[in-house]
Amino acid sequence: EIVLTQSPATLSLSPGERATLSCRASQSVSRYLAWYQQKPGQAPRLLIYDASTRATGIPARFSGSGSGTDFTLTISSLEHDDFAVYYCLQRYIWPPGTFGPGTKVDLK
Amino acid sequence: EEQLVESGGGLLQPGGSLRLSCAASGFSISNHWMHWVRQVPGKGLMWVARINTDLSTTNYADSVKGRFTISRDNARNTLYLQMDSLGAEDTAVYYCARERHLLQHDYMDVWGKGTTVIVSS
């Protein structure tokens, strides 16, 4: 089973700042990695797939990079709507599907 | 609008059974693999099960294998999750999600709002 590790667990930032979130896989997942955003009481929303492709309707301030075992989600300039929990998900080997434990981006 | 709506959650005692439903609208589930994902309140996401388009392939997380059964009725445009021998560890919000091919691979791109299952004596 591929294990995903996300860091940091919590990121405390202010609006306008840059957020850099990391996702590391226990073995290579090629570029088959997605990022999801989840706000309290809501379902996850697909942000990024294939490591770097923005899903439909996702603002350009969200970008993804990486391949193999190391991936990054960057939010170039945080807006109030971006404070949420972010999960990575690998699609290289399924089953089982594995999510990372999440990174919470909260207001400093 | 493409939408998934879960139902069937509730409060039940350990050892009980429950069937969750996930009704799709705005698209046909017959063209998509479908998934169930759960989330313990305040915790992360855990994939539970998936089913292919013609019901010939199902996969389960080890923690639910032998107790949960995923199924679908393409004519009714509905996905199901039969949950038996429930324990407190199954308490969670259960989401259904659609899988769709995007560029290089397949990803869960449409999610329902979830239905809550609480297992407690």
Side-chain angles (χ1 to χ4, degrees), chain A residues 31-34 36 38 42-44 46 49-50 53 87 89 91-92 94-97 99 101, chain B residues 35 37 39 43-47 50 59 95 99 102-109 111-113:
Chain A
R31 291 183 57 82
Y32 303 141
L33 187 110
Y36 292 85
Q38 188 180 34
Q42 296 186 19
L46 179 64
Y49 60 89
D50 290 342
T53 303
Y87 295 95
L89 168 72
R91 278 311 323 260
Y92 186 69
W94 200 295
F99 290 90
Chain B
H35 297 251
V37 174
Q39 184 173 38
K43 302 296 184 184
L45 300 165
M46 189 197 103
W47 172 77
R50 71 171 180 173
N59 302 113
Y95 298 99
E99 181 178 293
L102 299 169
L103 282 182
Q104 298 182 38
H105 216 303
D106 308 302
Y107 296 91
M108 293 179 278
D109 71 329
W111 295 62
K113 296 186 188 308

Side-chain angles (χ1 to χ4, degrees), chain B residues 47-112:
Chain B
W47 172 77
V48 173
R50 71 171 180 173
I51 186 168
N52 72 340
T53 54
D54 66 5
L55 290 77
S56 61
T57 299
T58 57
N59 302 113
Y60 298 91
D62 285 346
S63 58
V64 308
K65 205 173 293 184
R67 300 187 300 121
F68 289 12
T69 304
I70 187 172
S71 63
R72 61 195 294 159
D73 185 334
N74 289 339
R76 294 181 182 272
N77 220 23
T78 302
L79 175 73
Y80 302 100
L81 185 68
Q82 176 68 40
M83 304 186 295
D84 299 318
S85 303
L86 284 161
E89 69 277 11
D90 299 311
T91 293
V93 175
Y94 285 75
Y95 298 99
C96 62
R98 177 185 84 173
E99 181 178 293
R100 182 176 162 216
H101 186 77
L102 299 169
L103 282 182
Q104 298 182 38
H105 216 303
D106 308 302
Y107 296 91
M108 293 179 278
D109 71 329
V110 175
W111 295 62

